[in-house]
Amino acid sequence: MRYDSVIIGGGLSGLVCGLRLVQAGKRCAIISSGQSALHFSSGSFDLLSALPDGEAVTSPVEGVKVLAEQNEEHPYVKMGVERFAALAAEAVATLQGAGVEVEGDVAKNHYRLTPMGTLKPTWLTLSGYVRSESAEALPYKSVLLLNAEGFLDFYAQFISDELRKTGTTCRICNFNLPALEIIRNNPTEMRSANIARIFDNEQAVEALSQIISREAGECEAVLLPAFLGIERGDVLARLQERCGRTIRVVATLPPSVPGVRTQIALRKAFERAGGVYMLGDTALGFEESEGRITKIYTQNHGNIAIEADDFVLATGSYFSQGLVAKREGVVEPLFGSDVCQSESRGEWYERDLFTAQPFEKFGVRSDASLRILRGGKAVENLYVIGAGLAGFNPVKEGCGAGVSMLSAVYVSDNILKK
Amino acid sequence: MTKEYDVIIIGGGATGAGVARDCALRGIKPLLVERFDIATGATGRNHGLLHSGARYAVNDHESAEECIRENMILRRIASHCVDETGGLFISLPEDGLEFQKKFIESCLSAGIYAEAIDPKEALLLEPSANPALIGAVKVPDGSVDPFRLTTANIIDAKLHGAEVLTYHEVEELIMEQGRVVGVKVLDRKSGERKEIRSRIVVNAGGIWGHNIAKKAGVTINMLPAKGSLLIFGHRVNNVVLNRCRKPADADILVPGDTISLIGTTSSKVLFDEVDNMYVTADEVDLLLREGAMLAPSLLHTRILRAYAGVRPLVASDDDPSGRSVSRGIVVLDHATRDGVEGFITITGGKLMTYRLMGEWTTDLICKKLAVDAKCTTAERPLPGSSPQKREQTSRKIHAVPTMQRESSLYRHGDMAERVETSTSAKRSLVCECEEVSVGEVEYAINALEVNNLVDLRRRTRVGMGTCQGELCACRAAGLMAEHGKYCTRRAKQDLASFLNERWKGMAPVAWGDTLRESEFTMWLYDGVCGLTTKKEEEK
């Protein structure tokens, strides 16, 4: 089997990279073990919310210039501060092209509503999610907060108490539906993805719209947990149409229904454009020759090698097992890439979970083109993108999704330039 | 406050709870004060081993005898806290079989059933044991849940008239004419201070008893000894595994509930460290290296967390250097020892002998108060432990899904019937790892004196499974707020501090899947939820 490019890892980064390559006419395959960080997405994509020293960033395009002074190993800095805005624009275009509707501005962060009820800066937010241009308050004076009775992964009181502080009055209402009773009978079933399936059914949408019309009263907007439909993407639109009201969704605890939908949308766009998505497969080994990777082997394909001109590693960090922490040190398990890390295990951690953890900055070493270093030397045709990159803290700097998408665009450009 | 008690017991560990129960059963009115939750000190930080006494048989005949007696008593009175797993003392080639002979003789002379079995039979009995073993001895070890045991004692004490104040810290002892007549306590939740009087004050503060005694001007030469342990992600062994050699580091592997525990290390620590101990990377490596000698599969088993407790070792009064320490029970009547009336210290000993410690202390209290009543704690089953009632309870709640029913019965014994299970909403799971339902969480919140998520965890195992509180912590915090335990602002602070408490135990072993889980927790709570620690929130 021969492709122009093979991407290992089918999360946000791998999909964006793959989409751009197939759209440019490359024969491209993605090998995906199935899950990715999109499955617990907040519904937003962060670009840059804070600097390594903790200072908040309101404008990512401006912030990245200061970032360059604080951390020259940061992937944004390696890719070139001057290319930052263009890469971001390309990333947005790729999402939109795949039918993933997002809103946001690279020059100015907006704010998303967290499940804790606080407002957090971000770059892009999926349409349908509640968002605000202001860090201080929502654009609504009064909201109705609806939750499915017994859904524990969304706690409305957390949100309503915070909103009240910012001047938005909030009424909480729990609703029940016959279909919910059925899933509730199994004690583990009341989770977002299962509830979402209920709303793939027209009857449930109709029933919910009646509840909204009955309960919403004078409220300016109705907020719901993000569990409206797995297969169908138009549930929110139909609800709004029926009720004639502003209805928005708020992130829940995982799984993230809109995150799963985003992953599916990107995958379908990739496949429509001619890409091959090998779902449920895992890369296990490779062959190399004269400083190049020539082929890889996967679990499902056994001794049938997959050959390509270029390979892209998009396997994520620890959670997705793109990085594996062993007792003796952190390794990149597929290619044995050089990994940037602290000397001893005692230095991996900070005692407060909520401070920047050193292990989050560990990752695969790369050159300026994001080609992977092995034994200190760049491999001619092997790139790294996404969470596996070294030198950044996705959570504290609010840049995880941004690094994933921008590095994907950057590397696809580098491959296409060849 | 004019209310007067017969006895004030300082310390809500197993010992304090045992004293409180014994007093209450003998018609003496006790008040127990504890600065945190019950069982937060050494009681909640050990192996949870139901010692047969075999470990002490060779070197400490008296302790061994005490252990086996109490072992048999606990099987009767605390059956819902005890898992009768049996134990094996295995000899590896480097240990030789020399020690085994002496070991069996010593066990038998202390009244401990000990039988050498064929190595092959030992491996059939416990397949996780090191296949290189050359000898094995069967003993009546088991495991005991220290928290459940302490709770049961507290519940029974309260049923018989005891009062309990958790989150109350003793700041001073009230002294009048060379006599201890009460305590000044700080209510840690409200910040209020009050005086409470009693005829006798019992110091059952474990290692913290060292400082409590000082408040009466009394010196007890205690030596804090840190013992670190590792918790594995599943039940690796079903039989307690020990090394058949002179007791050393990391030579006991105990199955408990859904997990297994290896321990311990032993090192001296300073008194100012005992409130906040961290397990080091070296200790973790030592525990793993030695643990793998008992059960080689430990090297490939996920470690959930590491933690450390402090043993309250007491130096003999005639040895100020502290070299000759005893693990035996120490009851100090400060009237005869130091000329301070109305003050007793109970220390030393071990979890296994908590009941006997309670008995001896209460005997002394009775003598002082001229009460003529016999100890009955060895015969009366603890609440939750009645086998007939448990069977009845199991039948009563038969409609509850099997796993949930068994988990609930395992944790609460016959008290499981108090868990609301009538609707599907109540049966909905808060914690999937440990099968904790909404009903069980609500029962704990309403009936078991829960103040925060850590308290809730001790009563229900919420957040103790493989995910270490990833999703259940948030759900439980929501339920706590809903039931008026606190406002949502405090709920979020509590959630952050609960996650940090989990992290404290995970950081020393955060590689492999444990690090994956931690990264996920960080992404979720810090990233998606925007949760911060208190300091930042105030800013």
Side-chain angles (χ1 to χ4, degrees):
Chain A
M1 272 193 294
R2 185 168 177 86
Y3 294 91
D4 294 327
S5 314
V6 166
I7 298 165
I8 305 137
L12 180 61
S13 198
L15 281 164
V16 167
C17 187
L19 253 172
R20 287 181 48 83
L21 290 171
V22 283
Q23 281 165 353
K26 292 275 184 188
R27 280 178 48 75
C28 180
I30 293 177
I31 298 157
S32 166
S33 61
Q35 285 191 345
S36 83
L38 279 170
H39 289 242
F40 44 91
S41 159
S42 63
S44 292
F45 303 90
D46 296 346
L47 185 58
L48 187 62
S49 311
L51 295 169
D53 68 6
E55 199 192 326
V57 169
T58 50
S59 165
V61 266
E62 293 305 316
V64 75
K65 295 172 191 163
V66 193
L67 177 68
E69 295 159 20
Q70 293 188 12
N71 177 11
E72 57 184 25
E73 290 301 312
H74 197 287
Y76 288 159
V77 181
K78 289 178 82 164
M79 292 185 275
V81 170
E82 69 292 346
R83 287 199 61 190
F84 182 75
L87 290 171
E90 280 298 323
V92 176
T94 308
L95 288 180
Q96 304 276 25
V100 178
E101 288 172 45
V102 288
E103 298 161 54
D105 184 353
V106 69
K108 187 172 174 292
N109 279 328
H110 64 269
Y111 298 83
R112 65 177 171 90
L113 184 63
T114 70
M116 295 286 135
T118 49
L119 290 164
K120 211 169 181 249
T122 191
W123 169 40
L124 303 173
T125 293
L126 290 169
S127 71
Y129 268 89
V130 61
R131 44 167 290 176
S132 176
E133 291 304 322
S134 150
E136 311 299 328
L138 287 188
Y140 317 110
K141 284 282 151 231
S142 61
V143 298
L144 171 71
L145 210 47
L146 264 186
N147 190 20
E149 205 172 285
F151 178 51
L152 299 173
D153 292 342
F154 181 82
Y155 187 58
Q157 197 72 42
F158 281 162
I159 296 172
S160 96
D161 286 2
E162 288 294 333
L163 290 186
R164 188 150 24 84
K165 281 191 233 163
T166 65
T168 299
T169 59
C170 213
R171 196 153 56 78
I172 297 174
C173 173
N174 289 328
F175 68 88
N176 207 352
L177 295 174
L180 281 172
E181 282 302 337
I182 296 167
I183 59 170
R184 206 179 272 124
N185 274 331
N186 182 331
T188 59
E189 292 283 290
M190 280 297 280
R191 305 293 174 243
S192 58
N194 297 332
I195 297 175
R197 265 180 216 110
I198 288 175
F199 294 107
D200 286 337
N201 179 322
E202 193 63 33
Q203 277 175 330
V205 178
E206 176 59 37
L208 182 57
S209 74
Q210 282 171 16
I211 292 167
I212 293 173
S213 298
R214 191 177 67 227
E215 298 290 340
E218 297 300 303
C219 288
E220 254 181 87
V222 177
L223 307 187
L224 278 161
F227 57 25
L228 299 174
I230 272 272
E231 297 291 329
R232 305 186 63 155
D234 60 348
V235 176
L236 183 69
R238 283 184 298 143
L239 273 179
Q240 297 208 91
E241 198 183 307
R242 284 193 187 166
C243 305
R245 288 188 169 273
T246 305
I247 304 172
R248 294 285 179 269
V249 297
V250 185
T252 64
L253 292 190
S256 162
V257 171
V260 173
R261 290 186 46 78
T262 300
Q263 168 129 359
I264 293 169
L266 289 170
R267 190 185 105 203
K268 286 189 171 162
F270 173 72
E271 288 174 333
R272 270 198 309 273
V276 174
Y277 195 86
M278 301 177 186
L279 183 61
D281 203 357
T282 307
L284 296 178
F286 66 95
E287 279 181 33
E288 60 187 317
S289 160
E290 295 167 6
R292 295 173 65 85
I293 304 295
T294 52
K295 47 185 86 163
I296 61 166
Y297 295 94
T298 71
Q299 190 156 15
N300 292 354
H301 290 88
N303 60 5
I304 305 168
I306 301 174
E307 296 174 62
D309 295 332
D310 293 290
F311 292 88
V312 181
L313 186 71
T315 45
S317 62
Y318 311 96
F319 183 77
S320 307
Q321 295 181 291
L323 296 176
V324 173
K326 305 200 172 199
R327 197 145 58 101
E328 308 79 21
V330 177
V331 298
E332 182 279 296
L334 181 56
F335 295 107
S337 313
D338 294 352
V339 173
C340 167
Q341 58 188 298
S342 340
E343 283 288 311
S344 72
R345 212 171 71 226
E347 296 164 29
W348 291 6
Y349 320 108
E350 288 292 333
R351 282 181 180 178
D352 182 355
L353 181 64
F354 295 92
T355 55
Q357 296 289 338
F359 69 81
E360 279 292 273
K361 277 180 80 173
F362 300 175
V364 173
R365 288 188 197 275
S366 58
D367 71 359
S369 312
L370 300 192
R371 289 185 307 180
I372 287 177
L373 303 185
R374 285 171 75 226
K377 233 178 121 222
V379 182
E380 192 76 23
N381 64 339
L382 177 63
Y383 300 84
V384 56
I385 59 175
L389 279 160
F392 70 106
N393 186 317
V395 174
K396 286 293 161 194
E397 293 160 7
C399 66
V403 166
S404 285
M405 290 195 283
L406 270 56
S407 62
V409 172
Y410 180 77
V411 162
S412 61
D413 281 352
N414 289 347
I415 290 173
L416 293 171
K417 267 193 308 211
K418 280 191 182 173
Chain B
M1 266 234 170
T2 52
K3 196 161 186 178
E4 185 163 325
Y5 299 88
D6 293 325
V7 184
I8 291 173
I9 301 150
I10 307 169
T15 308
V19 176
R21 178 185 189 226
D22 203 335
C23 284
L25 288 177
R26 294 200 223 183
I28 298 165
K29 187 159 179 58
L31 169 72
L32 185 145
V33 290
E34 159 59 46
R35 63 175 185 155
F36 297 123
D37 186 20
I38 55 171
T40 44
T43 298
R45 297 171 169 276
N46 55 64
H47 267 113
L49 173 60
L50 185 80
H51 270 288
S52 58
R55 184 178 172 82
Y56 307 111
V58 173
N59 289 328
D60 187 346
H61 183 79
E62 193 189 333
S63 285
E65 278 184 334
E66 280 169 9
C67 268
I68 188 64
R69 265 201 314 272
E70 292 301 313
N71 178 310
M72 293 303 155
I73 291 171
L74 286 179
R75 285 169 200 253
R76 282 199 309 273
I77 67 161
S79 62
H80 76 303
C81 311
V82 167
D83 199 344
E84 302 191 14
T85 62
L88 283 177
F89 275 73
I90 63 169
S91 307
L92 296 179
E94 52 267 58
D95 304 331
L97 283 171
E98 193 100 334
F99 188 80
Q100 197 193 63
K101 199 164 157 259
K102 196 170 159 199
F103 173 77
I104 295 175
E105 278 167 17
S106 310
C107 281
L108 293 175
S109 89
I112 303 162
Y113 168 83
E115 180 200 357
I117 59 171
D118 185 74
K120 284 200 194 90
E121 194 189 334
L123 285 171
L124 284 176
L125 203 60
E126 183 43 65
S128 73
N130 191 339
L133 65 104
I134 54 167
V137 182
K138 250 166 98 171
V139 297
D141 279 346
S143 72
V144 55
D145 185 304
F147 180 78
R148 222 168 281 158
L149 182 64
T150 310
T151 316
N153 274 278
I154 294 272
I155 292 174
D156 205 31
K158 283 163 83 172
L159 275 175
H160 293 89
E163 289 178 40
V164 176
L165 291 175
T166 52
Y167 293 91
H168 278 69
E169 181 167 4
V170 171
E171 293 187 311
E172 275 177 58
L173 297 175
I174 308 172
M175 308 273 295
E176 280 170 9
Q177 292 151 354
R179 209 190 146 85
V180 177
V181 295
V183 295
K184 290 185 183 172
V185 292
L186 166 69
D187 179 341
R188 296 175 63 99
K189 284 189 292 174
S190 68
E192 218 178 297
R193 290 187 156 81
K194 56 189 167 196
E195 288 191 4
I196 313 173
R197 293 183 169 250
S198 65
R199 296 158 74 188
I200 293 176
V201 172
V202 174
N203 171 14
I207 194 65
W208 295 271
H210 175 89
N211 288 329
I212 294 168
K214 272 193 192 162
K215 296 178 200 293
V218 167
T219 305
I220 306 171
N221 201 0
M222 285 202 197
L223 305 164
K226 173 186 179 189
S228 300
L229 300 105
L230 300 180
I231 307 177
F232 291 90
H234 64 267
R235 205 166 151 121
V236 178
N237 52 327
N238 269 318
V239 174
V240 176
L241 286 176
N242 304 263
R243 279 287 277 284
C244 196
R245 61 173 185 191
K246 240 180 87 198
D249 282 348
D251 57 0
I252 313 180
L253 182 66
V254 183
D257 273 16
T258 51
I259 51 99
S260 285
L261 278 166
I262 185 81
T264 70
T265 60
S266 183
S267 57
K268 278 189 183 169
V269 283
L270 300 171
F271 269 103
D272 56 12
E273 291 172 64
V274 300
D275 274 336
N276 217 353
M277 281 184 306
Y278 290 87
V279 179
T280 65
D282 286 346
E283 285 170 326
V284 170
D285 291 343
L286 183 144
L287 286 165
L288 265 183
R289 196 171 58 238
E290 289 299 317
M293 301 296 285
L294 286 170
S297 65
L298 292 186
L299 283 180
H300 317 288
T301 304
R302 176 164 168 192
I303 309 171
L304 282 188
R305 50 194 289 114
Y307 66 99
V310 186
R311 298 180 190 91
L313 301 182
V314 189
S316 310
D317 277 347
D318 52 7
D319 174 24
S321 76
R323 275 193 206 92
S324 115
V325 292
S326 157
R327 294 208 176 188
I329 300 169
V330 180
V331 189
L332 301 175
D333 180 352
H334 295 293
T336 52
R337 180 179 180 265
D338 309 284
V340 178
E341 288 285 348
F343 191 45
I344 299 169
T345 291
I346 173 72
T347 188
K350 45 188 110 29
L351 178 66
M352 275 312 288
T353 54
Y354 90 93
R355 192 208 61 82
L356 189 60
M357 293 163 82
E359 179 175 340
W360 289 4
T361 309
T362 310
D363 285 347
L364 181 59
I365 294 168
C366 281
K367 201 173 111 195
K368 284 179 176 288
L369 297 179
V371 172
D372 183 22
K374 282 226 149 43
C375 175
T376 56
T377 54
E379 290 84 40
R380 297 173 75 138
L382 286 158
S385 256
S386 146
Q388 298 87 350
K389 268 189 82 184
R390 187 193 147 110
E391 195 46 46
Q392 276 171 18
T393 307
S394 177
R395 279 205 294 268
K396 262 189 222 164
I397 59 172
H398 62 87
V400 179
T402 317
M403 285 291 287
Q404 224 179 86
R405 183 175 67 233
E406 288 302 316
S407 302
S408 180
L409 279 168
Y410 193 90
R411 287 192 281 265
H412 303 288
D414 58 54
M415 292 182 286
E417 65 179 298
R418 300 191 203 170
V419 173
E420 178 69 65
T421 53
S422 57
T423 64
S424 52
K426 301 290 182 198
R427 292 194 296 270
S428 177
L429 287 183
V430 174
C431 170
E432 282 104 339
C433 299
E434 299 288 336
E435 294 269 341
V436 186
S437 65
V438 170
E440 187 173 342
V441 168
E442 289 178 344
Y443 162 63
I445 290 174
N446 294 324
L448 301 179
E449 295 188 41
V450 169
N451 292 287
N452 51 49
L453 290 170
V454 176
D455 291 2
L456 183 68
R457 166 176 68 72
R458 282 195 208 95
R459 285 152 180 82
T460 62
R461 289 190 70 82
V462 153
M464 287 175 89
T466 42
C467 86
Q468 294 284 292
E470 224 159 61
L471 301 174
C472 58
C474 189
R475 296 175 190 146
L479 284 171
M480 294 267 290
E482 205 165 286
H483 285 76
K485 277 289 157 189
Y486 42 41
C487 64
T488 54
R489 186 181 58 86
R490 271 205 41 221
K492 284 184 249 175
Q493 286 169 3
D494 189 29
L495 181 53
S497 73
F498 179 80
L499 293 168
N500 249 335
E501 185 266 349
R502 295 283 84 188
W503 172 239
K504 183 183 176 185
M506 290 169 89
V509 294
W511 65 82
D513 286 338
T514 302
L515 189 68
R516 290 180 69 201
E517 206 85 62
S518 304
E519 184 177 53
F520 182 72
T521 302
M522 261 172 36
W523 284 348
L524 175 59
Y525 284 105
D526 200 339
V528 176
C529 292
L531 197 67
T532 54
T533 29
K534 195 179 155 206
K535 218 162 58 188
E536 282 169 291
E537 196 164 271
E538 280 166 356
K539 194 173 65 185

